[in-house]
Amino acid sequence: MLLEAVLWLLSIAVAPAAAQTALGIDSISSFNADTVPDPPTFTLPSSSNLSVSVAFCSSNSDSTPRFFVTNSSAVSTPSASGGDNVYEIDLTDGYGNFTGLFEEGGVLAVEDAGETTFEIGVSENGPIHQSLDQLPLLGDTTSNQAIIFSPTFELSGWAEPSYPNYTLPDANLTFTEPSSSSNFTIFLVETDTSGSLSSLPQTACVLASQTSAGTVTNESAWLRDDLGWRTQWIIEGLTPSTNYTAYVVRAGTQVSQPMYFATKSATFNCPLVSSLPFCPNIAYPVPLPFPESTTRYDASNIPDSITDPLLSSITNLTVSLTSFACGRDLYSPLVTCADCQREYRRWLCTVSFPRCGEASPSNPDAVTSAAPNPTATGIGAVTHHSKHNKDGAETSTVRSALVPQASGSAPRNSNFPTVDYPYSMLLPCLETCTAADRACPNFLGFKCPVMRFNAAASYGVGYVDSGKEDGEGDGAVSSLQDRYGNIWCNGG
Ligand SMILES: *[C@@H]1O[C@H](CO)[C@@H](O)[C@H](O)[C@H]1NC(C)=O
Ligand SMILES: *[C@@H]1O[C@H](CO)[C@@H](O)[C@H](O)[C@H]1NC(C)=O
Ligand SMILES: *[C@@H]1O[C@H](CO)[C@@H](O)[C@H](O)[C@H]1NC(C)=O
Ligand SMILES: *[C@@H]1O[C@H](CO)[C@@H](O)[C@H](O)[C@H]1NC(C)=O
Ligand SMILES: *[C@@H]1O[C@H](CO)[C@@H](O)[C@H](O)[C@H]1NC(C)=O
Ligand SMILES: *[C@@H]1O[C@H](CO)[C@@H](O)[C@H](O)[C@H]1NC(C)=O
Ligand SMILES: *[C@@H]1O[C@H](CO)[C@@H](O)[C@H](O)[C@H]1NC(C)=O
Ligand SMILES: *[C@@H]1O[C@H](CO)[C@@H](O)[C@H](O)[C@H]1NC(C)=O
Ligand SMILES: *[C@@H]1O[C@H](CO)[C@@H](O)[C@H](O)[C@H]1NC(C)=O
C-alpha cells in the first residue's frame, strides 16, 4: 500500500517532466492546435541572459493564449496563479518577449492556446521575434515599378583622407561591397485589399503566409548616402494608381513598421533611373524616352550626353577645391573638403536629373492645375486656401513642388532630350542647394539659388526649412518625404 502510494507520487512527479518539450538556444519552433504538446509546457536551457520571444502567426477570437515563464527549478508549471520567479509575457500586437537570468534553466507554459498558431524563439542575443521601429525608405514609383530601400545595415566605411595625401573620391565613385549582408527581405501588399492581413498581427510568420505583390527584379547593396549601406529593391509588375503597404523583414523574424506608397497613374510616362555610381542618390523617374530592350535606366544605358558634363563638373569642382590645403587648413570649423564634394555632388545630381512626379494620393490638393509663377527662389510649400477643418478653423495645404511640363517643351537640363509626352516636374528642394553652399568654401563662389549650373531651374522652398534666418528644420513638413508616400520636393 505504502509502496503503491510512493510509486504513484513518483509518477506524477516524473511524467510531466518527461513530456516537456525542450527548446534550445537559437531555436525557433512553431506550434498549432495539433502540435502543441500536452501538457503545453517547454523546458528552457540555462543561460545568464536568455530571451524568450513569442509571435502569433494567426489570430483567433475564440482564445487568447497567455505565456508564463519561470527561471526557478522549484516551479514545474508557471501559470496565472503566479508565485516567486513566475512572469507573464506581455503580448502586444502579436509579439511578446522576456529576457532574464536562467541560472538553472526554466519552464515556459502556454495557457488557452486554442486554435492559435504561434512561434517561440529562444536566444542569448536578444528577442528573436521583434517589431522593429525602423521603416523602409521609398525611392520612388512609376505606374508599375517601385524602388525601395531597407534601413541602413552597415556604415559606409569611408575614412576622411588626411593631409598631405588628401585624395577625394573620383567623379565616378567606386564602392567596396559591405562585409555583411543585410538579411532584409521586402514584403508588399495592396493596402486596400489587405483586409485579410490587417485583421492579423503583422508578424513575420503572418507575412510569410501571404503573397507579396509584384516581382523583385533586382536586389543589391547600395550606398545611397553617407548614412550607410542599404538593400535596394527594384520591384516590377505592380498595378497603376494603387496604394501599397511595404514592410521589410530582418532575418525572417523581425518586422519593420509599415510604409505606404502609391504607384503612378497608367498615363505616367517617365522611366526610372537608379544605380548610378556617380550619382548614388538618384532613384526616381526622369523625363527620358522609354529605354530600349529594358524597363529602366542605370549606369549601363544612361546617355553619355548626360553623364559626361556631369562627371566633368564634379572633376572641375574637385580640382578647384583641392587647390585649398584640404586637411591642413580649415575653411570652417564644421565642414571639410570631403563634405563639400559630397554635398555638391548630391546637389548637382539632383538638379541635373529632373524628376517626374505626380500629386500625392493622400494629399490630392497637391495638384497644381496651372503652372505657378516661380518666384526668384521657386515654389513655396504652403498656400493658404480658405479651407476649413471640421472645427471651422482655417487650414493651410501643403503642395508638392510640381510644375506641369507640356509635351515637347525644352528640358530643364539642356543635356536631356526633348520628350514627346507631358509630365509634371518635381522641383529640387532648396535645402539640397543650401547644404552645398554651407559645406563648400566661399572661394568656389557657390551661391543659392543663383546657380552655376542650369540657372533656369527653380526650387521647392519651405518644406524642410522655412527659408527664414535660423529656420532650419522648421518648414511646412520638415522632411523631404514621409512614410505615407508623399514626396514634397526633390531631395535627391
Ligand atoms: C530568476 O530571476 C530573478 C530576477 O531576475 C533573479 O533574481 C534570480 O536570481 C533568477 N533565478 C535563477 C535561479 O536564475
Ligand atoms: C542581454 O542581451 C541583450 C541582447 O544581446 C543585451 O542588450 C542586454 O544588455 C543583455 N543583458 C545583460 C544583463 O547582459
Ligand atoms: C519586449 O517586450 C516589452 C514589453 O514587455 C516591449 O516593451 C519591448 O519593446 C520588447 N522588446 C523587443 C525587442 O521587442
Ligand atoms: C594617397 O591616398 C590614396 C587613396 O587613399 C592612395 O591610393 C594612394 O596610394 C596614396 N598615395 C600616397 C603617396 O600615399
Ligand atoms: C564608372 O565606373 C564603372 C566601374 O566602377 C564603369 O563600369 C563605368 O563605365 C564608369 N562610368 C563612367 C561614366 O565613366
Ligand atoms: C542589379 O542592378 C545593378 C545596376 O543596375 C546591376 O549592376 C546588377 O548586375 C543587377 N543585379 C542583378 C542580379 O540583376
Ligand atoms: C539571415 O536570415 C536567415 C533566416 O531568414 C537565417 O537563417 C540566416 O542565418 C541569417 N543570416 C545572417 C547572416 O544573419
Ligand atoms: C571643366 O573644366 C574644363 C577645363 O577648364 C572645361 O573645358 C570644361 O568645360 C569644364 N566642365 C564643365 C562642365 O564646366
Ligand atoms: C489610396 O489612399 C488614399 C489615402 O491615402 C485614398 O484617398 C485613395 O482613395 C486610395 N486609392 C485607392 C485606389 O484606393
Side-chain angles (χ1 to χ4, degrees):
M1 196 60 189
L2 186 67
L3 185 67
E4 244 175 44
V6 168
L7 281 176
W8 183 80
L9 273 174
L10 267 179
S11 73
I12 41 167
V14 169
Q20 279 177 358
T21 306
L23 299 175
I25 286 172
D26 290 335
S27 68
I28 303 173
S29 318
S30 182
F31 298 97
N32 61 33
D34 297 330
T35 58
V36 75
D38 181 22
T41 55
F42 308 86
T43 57
L44 299 169
S46 67
S47 164
S48 61
N49 189 8
L50 195 72
S51 293
V52 179
S53 61
V54 174
F56 287 177
C57 307
S58 69
S59 74
N60 193 304
S61 49
D62 300 338
S63 66
T64 310
R66 295 171 73 182
F67 295 81
F68 298 92
V69 66
T70 182
N71 66 348
S72 163
S73 55
V75 182
S76 61
T77 307
S79 70
S81 52
D84 282 350
N85 296 319
V86 172
Y87 308 92
E88 176 162 10
I89 299 182
D90 287 336
L91 292 160
T92 311
D93 301 331
Y95 289 96
N97 73 85
F98 177 85
T99 298
L101 167 65
F102 287 75
E103 240 164 26
E104 307 160 345
V107 180
L108 172 73
V110 191
E111 281 183 14
D112 304 325
E115 297 295 311
T116 305
T117 305
F118 59 90
E119 280 185 359
I120 303 173
V122 178
S123 162
E124 290 189 297
N125 303 309
I128 289 182
H129 299 95
Q130 289 185 30
S131 172
L132 303 171
D133 46 16
Q134 295 164 311
L135 280 167
L137 175 70
L138 179 65
D140 210 334
T141 59
T142 65
S143 60
N144 59 5
Q145 298 162 311
I147 182 156
I148 298 178
F149 297 92
S150 74
T152 58
F153 62 88
E154 188 170 308
L155 296 177
S156 80
W158 189 76
E160 173 101 18
S162 60
Y163 187 83
N165 184 16
Y166 196 96
T167 312
L168 286 169
D170 288 338
N172 185 13
L173 292 169
T174 47
F175 301 117
T176 316
E177 286 277 308
S179 55
S180 65
S181 79
S182 77
N183 228 352
F184 279 115
T185 52
I186 180 92
F187 180 85
L188 289 190
V189 64
E190 280 188 30
T191 305
D192 286 343
T193 59
S194 65
S196 66
L197 180 62
S198 55
S199 66
L200 292 169
Q202 316 290 284
T203 56
C205 51
V206 165
L207 297 185
S209 71
Q210 310 272 318
T211 308
S212 187
T215 309
V216 174
T217 57
N218 188 288
E219 175 175 338
S220 44
W222 193 248
L223 192 58
R224 181 173 195 272
D225 51 36
D226 58 334
L227 295 176
W229 289 92
R230 300 170 187 269
T231 299
Q232 171 186 275
W233 292 281
I234 295 168
I235 298 143
E236 310 206 44
L238 300 175
T239 311
S241 298
T242 302
N243 291 327
Y244 286 93
T245 306
Y247 297 88
V248 291
V249 180
R250 189 169 71 196
T253 53
Q254 305 178 347
V255 182
S256 73
Q257 297 301 304
M259 183 267 286
Y260 307 94
F261 68 93
T263 44
K264 307 277 195 291
S265 59
T267 56
F268 186 84
N269 283 306
C270 300
L272 206 56
V273 59
S274 69
S275 313
L276 306 176
F278 43 89
C279 285
N281 60 314
I282 302 300
Y284 54 72
V286 297
L288 280 177
F290 202 76
E292 285 165 29
S293 72
T294 171
T295 55
R296 59 192 176 87
Y297 285 96
D298 62 18
S300 65
N301 62 349
I302 195 86
D304 290 345
S305 55
I306 295 172
T307 312
D308 290 348
L310 197 154
L311 290 172
S312 165
S313 288
I314 298 174
T315 303
N316 289 2
L317 178 280
T318 308
V319 169
S320 307
L321 183 59
T322 47
S323 70
F324 183 80
C326 295
R328 188 193 71 187
D329 298 348
L330 296 176
Y331 59 84
S332 153
L334 300 175
V335 286
T336 64
C337 294
D339 295 323
C340 169
Q341 195 210 37
R342 187 188 66 242
E343 293 303 331
Y344 176 83
R345 179 194 300 277
R346 186 179 180 86
W347 165 80
L348 183 70
C349 291
T350 306
V351 299
S352 300
F353 285 94
R355 183 168 184 163
C356 302
E358 221 175 55
S360 303
S362 52
N363 182 14
D365 291 340
V367 189
T368 51
S369 52
N373 293 328
T375 63
T377 49
I379 293 186
V382 181
T383 48
H384 291 274
H385 287 295
S386 2
K387 263 192 128 178
H388 299 270
N389 67 15
K390 61 181 182 335
D391 302 324
E394 194 167 5
T395 61
S396 50
T397 307
V398 179
R399 302 170 171 218
S400 293
L402 287 168
V403 185
Q405 304 287 301
S407 171
S409 60
R412 286 301 177 104
N413 176 348
S414 57
N415 299 318
F416 266 60
T418 300
V419 289
D420 59 2
Y421 56 78
Y423 62 94
S424 287
M425 182 169 66
L426 188 69
L427 296 179
C429 307
L430 184 62
E431 291 77 15
T432 59
C433 185
T434 47
D437 188 12
R438 273 192 217 115
C440 289
N442 280 333
F443 71 81
L444 289 178
F446 188 91
K447 284 279 175 297
C448 300
V450 182
M451 294 159 292
R452 285 146 46 99
F453 188 91
N454 194 8
S458 48
Y459 288 94
V461 180
Y463 294 93
V464 185
D465 302 342
S466 66
K468 297 190 200 92
E469 198 76 14
D470 298 326
E472 263 181 74
D474 64 355
V477 281
S478 302
S479 65
L480 310 170
Q481 60 184 85
D482 65 19
R483 68 184 286 191
Y484 302 102
N486 294 304
I487 301 175
W488 305 113
C489 52
N490 183 11

